[in-house]
Amino acid sequence: MTLTVLHSGTQTLIMDAGRPGHRHQGIPGGGAADKLSFAIANHLVGNRWDTPALECALGGLHIRFEKNHIIALSGAQMWSQNQGLNLPLNKAVPVEAGDILTMSFTRAGCRAYLAIAGGIEAEPFMGSVSTYMPAKLGGLDGEALKTGAVLRIGPKQDEPQSLPKGHTPILSNHVVLRAQQGPEWEALSDSAKRYLFTTPFYATAATDRMGTRLKGDQLTLENPVNMTSSPLLPGSLQVPPDGQPILALVDGHCTGGYARALQVIQADLWLLGQIAPGAAISFRRSLAEDAAAVLKRKNSFYADLIPGFSF
Amino acid sequence: MTAQTHLPKIMPYGDHAMLVDWSIGEFSETINDAVHALAAKLRQSGKYSEIVPGYDSLVCVFDLAVRTGETTKRHIEDILKQNLSRKTEVDQIAEIPVHYGGENGPDMERICRAAKLSVGEVIALHSRETYRVCMMGFIPGFTFLSPAPQALHHPRLETPRAKVPAGSIGIANWQTGIYGLESPGGWQIIGRTPLSIFDSKRDTPFLLNAGDRVRFVPQ
């Protein structure tokens, strides 16, 4: 029950639901950057939603299956093929021993999830096999998969499933995030407060699982903020004195010292995983009283489909 | 000023976290004790996915599908009404060898210029203190220490560096600390220790814990 990595692509990582609860030790929760697409891929092949799967950023992953398996792809559209035949997204499909799956380059979104019935087996650290490269935790030796790596597949869990029409997320290269004011919102100048919710920003090449440096209108601070280091969360937009904001992502630092201008709402955190370098990003103001209702709607939309999953 | 007389602000940090902020613009051991005592109580309740204490602030992350910000705020207020005194236990004074300046401390010259001190004087000042480990975090093993001597205080870099090597020792305003791992970062780097602060392969991955005392030994 194995598969072989023929080409590791831009960055392919073993991921599960992460290791929440250790930010006070400097260890981010991590896990699948786009939790929704990850959960869908697992659900389709009959796995529990949080079973370890592969997260392929940008594209380029080629693998050979050494046994017959049921697989599913979800997340970014990478025009994947098995034995030269196009593979649909968000559908469980059988593959045979010796089949070669190839993933091209993403057209929309950043990360594709490849779930295999039974899941990937790896050594957990602090309860999770999720790869956290900055500290070399989880995955295979805490690193991205290398060409030639051989992965073990666990025992089959349940029968494959399908998703009803309209339940698959549609990704775009313009990521719209609903956000609320962060703790240092008042440190921003009036123009910066206006720009944040009206003009789009672009994700620069400095984009990885930790964060993305954005380029856009210069955000000026009303007063220089010489902050004492304070806790920081995924989905926080920090504004350093140079005025080019940094959006913290799933592996983001646990504390920070720059003004926290915005915080993306819980219901939209999954989208942070689909920000590719070059993507346009817009922030939309979320009113405090709306966020709970938005989350409730999104959770109930998937509650009956994917047991145990919530945003 | 004590933590009891100085009540923190409790404010929303987005829709799924609360920030408890004591910030008084300077370091206070009393407040850092109160932060850790509140963290311990919140952790005991088992209601939160993350409780992250800082020097003078704390962030408590909840699931908006299960609790509201209002109930979280009330819970924090109730705990703060109790007496949050906590004995600080000093477990050990760790001696950290440091190579100051040169390629290990690329920002040493800037600190010297700002402080109008020689490299030797900066080293002597920085290594004279016994520091307290106030919090761990940022990245695994990042060690946030009690204030550096006043003369060495310096703002963060305008633009953070993409890579700061593991073991780097830096200054950010009045703070000083150790990078546990290679990471992006905006602190002014004055030296580096060869010790490994965090190692997931060790039985105890963290070399230091909040509450420990630390002394730097120039090499």
Side-chain angles (χ1 to χ4, degrees):
Chain A
M1 301 289 271
T2 60
L3 55 83
T4 306
V5 178
L6 302 180
H7 191 271
S8 54
T10 310
Q11 184 187 75
T12 303
L13 303 169
I14 298 175
M15 283 295 161
D16 58 15
R19 46 181 79 78
H22 301 286
R23 294 190 81 79
H24 62 289
Q25 293 170 308
I27 299 189
D34 168 359
K35 204 162 87 159
L36 174 61
S37 300
F38 163 78
I40 288 173
N42 265 322
H43 175 68
L44 290 169
V45 298
N47 288 347
R48 262 179 58 108
W49 76 271
D50 54 359
T51 303
L54 295 183
E55 175 182 283
C56 175
L58 299 177
L61 175 67
H62 297 187
I63 55 178
R64 184 177 65 227
F65 299 98
E66 309 299 354
K67 283 273 159 58
N68 296 355
H69 289 291
I70 304 290
I71 65 164
L73 286 159
S74 194
Q77 171 61 273
M78 294 182 183
W79 308 110
S80 303
Q81 296 187 327
N82 189 47
Q83 296 295 91
L85 296 175
N86 291 342
L87 279 175
L89 267 186
N90 300 307
K91 193 174 185 301
V93 291
V95 293
E96 293 179 1
D99 280 5
I100 291 175
L101 175 141
T102 56
M103 292 161 92
S104 181
F105 195 78
T106 178
R107 307 294 170 92
C110 183
R111 294 182 173 87
Y113 291 88
L114 170 64
I116 296 142
I120 313 282
E121 292 191 332
E123 202 56 48
F125 176 78
M126 283 179 161
S128 165
V129 304
S130 287
T131 318
Y132 174 57
M133 293 200 298
K136 294 198 186 318
L137 307 180
L140 295 185
D141 301 322
E143 293 187 11
L145 294 187
K146 294 193 176 96
T147 296
V150 175
L151 303 179
R152 281 174 292 127
I153 309 300
K156 185 185 142 181
Q157 298 176 18
D158 215 330
E159 294 308 312
Q161 310 281 330
S162 61
L163 271 190
K165 252 196 160 62
H167 281 71
T168 53
I170 294 164
L171 301 174
S172 153
N173 285 327
H174 186 169
V175 180
V176 180
L177 301 164
R178 285 168 287 191
Q180 294 183 356
Q181 297 173 5
E184 283 77 44
W185 169 261
E186 288 307 330
L188 299 172
S189 66
D190 287 342
S191 62
K193 288 177 183 170
R194 216 165 40 242
Y195 293 156
L196 271 178
F197 287 117
T198 49
T199 68
F201 293 85
Y202 291 90
T204 62
T207 298
D208 58 17
R209 283 177 48 92
M210 294 179 85
T212 171
R213 282 202 204 193
L214 306 182
K215 200 115 190 113
D217 282 328
Q218 183 88 5
L219 299 176
T220 47
L221 295 168
E222 192 61 48
N223 301 301
V225 190
N226 278 336
M227 267 175 65
T228 304
S229 295
S230 183
L232 185 72
L233 299 174
S236 289
L237 185 79
Q238 285 186 292
V239 181
D242 71 5
Q244 295 300 327
I246 304 166
L247 182 60
L249 303 183
V250 64
D251 280 350
H253 288 148
C254 298
T255 65
Y258 297 117
R260 295 160 292 190
L262 291 180
Q263 174 62 41
V264 173
I265 64 171
Q266 188 179 337
D268 283 354
L269 290 178
W270 66 279
L271 265 173
L272 298 177
Q274 295 297 353
I275 298 173
I281 294 167
S282 291
F283 297 100
R284 295 278 175 267
R285 193 189 294 274
S286 157
L287 299 175
E289 52 274 24
D290 295 345
V294 168
L295 179 65
K296 198 173 167 201
R297 268 202 308 279
K298 289 191 79 162
N299 274 337
S300 60
F301 194 68
Y302 287 103
D304 294 336
L305 286 174
I306 311 177
F309 171 79
S310 64
F311 284 93
Chain B
M1 191 177 296
T2 70
Q4 276 70 45
T5 57
H6 185 91
L7 281 175
K9 282 181 287 185
I10 306 172
M11 56 178 143
Y13 180 170
D15 66 337
H16 60 286
M18 275 286 154
L19 172 69
V20 189
D21 189 5
W22 277 263
S23 61
I24 54 167
E26 60 180 10
F27 176 70
S28 153
E29 292 215 351
T30 322
I31 286 175
N32 191 243
D33 282 344
V35 169
H36 286 286
L38 173 63
K41 292 265 185 194
L42 289 170
R43 210 174 295 287
Q44 260 169 32
S45 78
K47 288 175 174 157
Y48 305 101
S49 54
E50 300 277 2
I51 296 143
V52 199
Y55 278 103
D56 54 8
S57 63
L58 177 146
V59 165
C60 175
V61 182
F62 56 92
D63 181 355
L64 183 61
V66 179
R67 324 170 50 79
T68 64
E70 271 309 304
T71 46
T72 304
K73 188 177 178 190
R74 271 201 301 278
H75 186 200
I76 293 168
E77 283 168 345
D78 286 346
I79 294 174
L80 289 173
K81 280 182 199 143
Q82 303 161 23
N83 190 5
L84 282 185
S85 62
R86 194 183 83 136
K87 207 173 112 252
T88 317
E89 287 160 23
V90 182
D91 295 330
Q92 53 166 324
I93 295 184
E95 300 214 317
I96 310 282
V98 185
H99 298 282
Y100 282 102
E103 61 178 19
N104 294 309
D107 300 318
M108 179 61 104
E109 279 181 33
R110 190 175 304 119
I111 298 287
C112 289
R113 269 201 309 276
K116 300 195 173 65
L117 294 172
S118 68
V119 174
E121 286 166 327
V122 167
I123 293 173
L125 266 180
H126 192 258
S127 59
R128 193 186 63 196
E129 300 274 318
T130 299
Y131 298 97
R132 159 198 177 103
V133 178
C134 296
M135 65 190 239
M136 302 290 293
F138 179 57
I139 46 168
F142 195 102
T143 311
F144 289 90
L145 303 172
S146 52
Q150 182 107 36
L152 306 182
H153 296 188
H154 202 281
R156 288 181 180 75
L157 299 173
E158 293 264 315
T159 303
R161 280 194 178 89
K163 263 185 193 175
V164 177
S168 291
I169 288 156
I171 284 178
N173 304 317
W174 54 262
Q175 297 170 243
T176 186
I178 314 168
Y179 281 78
L181 290 172
E182 180 184 287
S183 131
W187 289 38
Q188 309 280 350
I189 305 301
I190 59 168
R192 197 172 156 195
T193 175
L195 282 189
S196 166
I197 306 291
F198 173 78
D199 183 351
S200 64
K201 304 277 190 302
R202 276 197 308 244
D203 285 345
T204 47
F206 297 93
L207 188 70
L208 297 166
N209 290 297
D212 291 351
R213 295 291 196 272
V214 162
R215 213 171 19 231
F216 293 116
V217 184
Q219 299 296 298

